Amino acid sequence: GQSLEQPSEVTAVEGAIVQINCTYQTSGFYGLSWYQQHDGGAPTFLSYNALDGLEETGRFSSFLSRSDSYGYLLLQELQMKDSASYFCAVRDFYGGATNKLIFGTGTLLAVQP
Amino acid sequence: DVKVTQSSRYLVKRTGEKVFLECVQDMDHENMFWYRQDPGLGLRLIYFSYDVKMKEKGDIPEGYSVSREKKERFSLILESASTNQTSMYLCASSASTGGNEQYFGPGTRLTVT
């Protein structure tokens, strides 16, 4: 089967750094994405890694190791507004250029004052 | 600004009713997706479409059908609603290029009684 494993919950304090891990086991792999979803809101795209290494976008960074089937999302200088659920997603190849995604079950991040 | 809209934010239906959930995107995207989101299960793909009148089953298509008559509109149909279809339904779209970024609508919380 296909699965993505993430911790269900993570708690951190304002100003700290937190890392959310994702390990995947999928039949195909064409990239690892991260999405953020605030309570009651729609998921929004954060980052994408197709190749090994670190991608940085402001306070957020995402890392991928294809040999380990592993990635993580790193959030720095945490703010209260970062409290949300974070989902990793693997791009699975359907055909042509369709980017079908397989999502993990999500990590609920709680940022405390 | 990109936009995906869904016909209803909240919907209450009775068991056995036929239910239509509508999704419209204004980004001229080729791909459209329907997910359901349940606590602890993440986002699960129901159906997707990569072109007008084209559809493919996702991971949990049973009890659902879809229709895509126009590029901007993707409908999810519950032929005979059941209580186990009570869930949050999310529509998303993506371009055929652009990799892993999907744009999500605000969701429809469907309750079947």
Side-chain angles (χ1 to χ4, degrees):
Chain A
Q2 307 200 87
S3 67
L4 286 84
E5 299 286 333
Q6 307 178 233
S8 58
E9 293 183 27
V10 173
T11 302
V13 296
E14 252 185 317
I17 299 172
V18 72
Q19 179 174 311
I20 299 174
N21 298 319
C22 174
T23 57
Y24 58 88
Q25 191 171 13
T26 57
S27 56
F29 180 82
Y30 294 87
L32 183 71
S33 299
W34 289 91
Y35 285 76
Q36 179 192 59
Q37 185 180 29
H38 285 100
D39 190 28
T44 55
F45 174 80
L46 288 177
S47 68
Y48 165 61
N49 295 67
L51 302 174
D52 291 353
L54 192 68
E55 295 281 342
E56 298 183 59
T57 309
R59 294 187 298 114
F60 293 3
S61 303
S62 56
F63 172 82
L64 175 64
S65 169
R66 288 174 295 169
S67 60
D68 296 322
S69 298
Y70 165 76
Y72 65 72
L73 180 69
L74 191 73
L75 296 83
Q76 302 181 67
E77 300 172 19
L78 279 175
Q79 302 175 9
M80 296 298 290
K81 67 178 182 179
D82 297 329
S83 294
S85 291
Y86 293 85
F87 295 88
C88 58
V90 165
R91 178 183 176 187
D92 192 12
F93 186 72
Y94 166 70
T98 299
N99 46 2
K100 174 184 167 185
L101 296 178
I102 303 166
F103 283 87
T105 52
T107 298
L108 180 62
L109 171 64
V111 180
Q112 297 178 340
Chain B
D1 196 18
V2 298
K3 203 166 186 183
V4 179
T5 56
Q6 296 184 227
S7 50
S8 304
R9 193 75 174 92
Y10 299 94
L11 207 54
V12 180
K13 295 291 182 181
R14 293 196 180 274
T15 301
E17 279 193 87
K18 191 169 186 175
V19 181
F20 293 86
L21 302 183
E22 304 283 338
C23 176
V24 177
Q25 51 96 1
D26 65 359
M27 297 163 281
D28 200 35
H29 283 167
E30 291 77 14
N31 304 315
M32 297 189 74
F33 307 83
W34 275 106
Y35 297 89
R36 65 176 281 175
Q37 184 173 26
D38 301 288
L41 297 178
L43 284 77
R44 294 181 291 166
L45 183 63
I46 304 171
Y47 267 97
F48 64 102
S49 168
Y50 53 90
D51 200 353
V52 175
K53 297 191 184 295
M54 305 305 291
K55 59 186 179 184
E56 289 295 331
K57 293 179 180 179
D59 300 315
I60 52 164
E62 296 78 20
Y64 303 95
S65 62
V66 290
S67 172
R68 193 168 181 200
E69 296 296 318
K70 293 185 177 181
K71 189 176 185 180
E72 67 271 17
R73 188 179 298 269
F74 192 35
S75 302
L76 180 69
I77 303 152
L78 287 68
E79 295 290 342
S80 177
S82 63
T83 54
N84 63 13
Q85 293 178 310
T86 291
S87 186
M88 171 66 83
Y89 290 88
L90 290 162
C91 174
S93 72
S94 68
S96 58
T97 57
N100 296 259
E101 186 166 4
Q102 292 187 5
Y103 296 85
F104 284 82
T108 295
R109 184 165 294 282
L110 172 68
T111 302
V112 183
T113 60

